[in-house]
Amino acid sequence: VLIQGANFKETSQLSCMFGSVIQTAVYVDANSIVCITLNMSSAVGASIKSLRSMVYVSNNGVEFSATGLSFFFTKNPSISNISPKWDYYVGGKLVTVTGSDFFPSQIIFCRLHKVTLIGIYVSPTVVLCPTGAYTIGNTSLSISINGLDYTSPVANVTDFQSVNFCPAQRYRPETDTYQ
């Protein structure tokens, strides 16, 4: 987690405190540090989907900032289905992504063909992802609730095709794909 402030010192005791857990921080410059967060499951247990914590910083590992920042630990989302699984290469569709542990963050990021677009949070199990103009071919769809950590591709689940305009006989409605 990148934290911006003032008067950070490059010391071996530079740290961040999430709740009562102290973690080592990495010095970037006098105005920025990177705090290494705990794994969500080790921070709050497997049954909790999210946890709000305050984050405090320290140059010496003992005296922490008087005010903190609010931070949300969340489980990584997972995708169980996307529909439709294709679009014309010019884009224009909304892909319905179903899964679990989607979080109503300020921005949902959707990635197709290494292009990232802003998605729409619908519920903890549904996100809508727009398609854009892409290269013709196959790819995987992935999402992120923080812009850094994306879901991993799952064969036959997150597969997506960008197709050229083609004759109707190549469309397979039973699989919603072009062949």
Side-chain angles (χ1 to χ4, degrees):
V1 175
L2 177 67
I3 296 184
Q4 296 180 315
N7 302 317
F8 293 120
K9 308 286 185 217
E10 190 170 8
T11 69
S12 60
Q13 294 84 28
L14 187 62
S15 26
C16 302
M17 183 168 56
F18 294 88
S20 61
V21 179
I22 298 172
Q23 295 285 105
T24 302
V26 177
Y27 179 84
V28 176
D29 59 38
N31 300 312
S32 303
I33 62 172
V34 173
C35 296
I36 309 303
T37 63
L38 297 169
N39 179 299
M40 171 67 183
S41 59
S42 63
V44 298
S47 64
I48 298 174
K49 294 190 183 292
S50 68
L51 172 72
R52 181 178 167 205
S53 176
M54 295 301 289
V55 180
Y56 301 91
V57 295
S58 172
N59 283 321
N60 62 18
V62 177
E63 299 167 297
F64 285 85
S65 55
T67 58
L69 299 172
S70 185
F71 181 82
F72 279 92
F73 286 97
T74 61
K75 284 188 172 183
N76 290 331
S78 63
I79 297 174
S80 58
N81 190 41
I82 64 172
S83 179
K85 294 183 175 287
W86 67 274
D87 191 11
Y88 295 113
Y89 72 96
V90 293
K93 284 189 179 182
L94 279 177
V95 176
T96 300
V97 179
T98 55
S100 61
D101 300 318
F102 300 147
F103 189 75
S105 60
Q106 292 179 329
I107 300 176
I108 301 288
F109 300 91
C110 300
R111 183 178 286 167
L112 276 167
H113 288 284
K114 299 182 182 177
V115 174
T116 302
L117 296 172
I118 304 302
I120 302 164
Y121 174 85
V122 177
S123 74
T125 60
V126 177
V127 169
L128 299 176
C129 290
T131 61
Y134 304 112
T135 307
I136 295 170
N138 298 320
T139 190
S140 285
L141 182 141
S142 58
I143 64 164
S144 172
I145 57 175
N146 64 10
L148 298 172
D149 303 309
Y150 282 83
T151 55
S152 297
V154 179
N156 301 318
V157 173
T158 58
D159 296 343
F160 188 85
Q161 285 183 301
S162 293
V163 298
N164 199 347
F165 299 102
C166 65
Q169 66 266 23
R170 294 192 56 196
Y171 176 65
R172 305 284 186 250
E174 66 278 4
T175 59
D176 194 27
T177 60
Y178 279 86
Q179 312 219 351

